[in-house]
Amino acid sequence: MGDNKSCVLVSACLLGENCKYNGGNNSNQAVIDFVADKNVLAVCPEVAGGLPVPREPVELSCGRAYDKKGKCYDVAFHLGIQKILDLMTSKEISLAILQSRSPSCGVNEIYDGSFSGRKLQAHGLFAQRLKDSGYRICDAEDINELKGK
């Protein structure tokens, strides 16, 4: 069992929380198994920023969050990121396991902003902020590389 201070931050959708833009989740059994004996802080920056479930899909273009019609969601995204960062100040986060390709949480790649399914190597806004702040981040698809560590 993890100690009371150290915990793993996890994208809430990976744990089965229905917080995705389409009302669903990205439940990931490998992530669930990895954190089973750890203290977990489940987060969704988009919901924390006040966005509803379901909501319009958003992609990043030039570092800004837009839906397909061109509506900008930067304020909600940054508000959610800040709320979670504030929550994290009272915790010792040993690792953040984040949802692949998300405009908030993508670690290895995100969608390119064209809503065409094309991806590019970049971080989502929350993932980038965590990385810049010195947190260890892991894409959910890379969880098997952490086993045994």
Side-chain angles (χ1 to χ4, degrees), residues 72-136:
C72 183
Y73 288 84
D74 281 355
V75 171
F77 270 61
H78 291 290
L79 176 65
I81 290 167
Q82 192 57 55
K83 281 184 175 180
I84 293 169
L85 290 172
D86 290 348
L87 179 64
M88 291 168 59
T89 60
S90 64
K91 309 211 178 283
E92 182 183 315
I93 306 294
S94 60
L95 173 67
I97 304 171
L98 303 173
Q99 172 54 35
S100 310
R101 295 172 295 283
S102 158
S104 294
C105 297
V107 173
N108 296 326
E109 60 184 10
I110 58 172
Y111 291 102
D112 72 357
S114 68
F115 294 88
S116 64
R118 286 192 304 260
K119 295 168 242 165
L120 54 95
Q121 288 190 327
H123 297 307
L125 297 175
F126 181 56
Q128 186 65 57
R129 188 81 177 271
L130 289 176
K131 184 177 179 189
D132 291 347
S133 298
Y135 290 99
R136 184 173 159 223

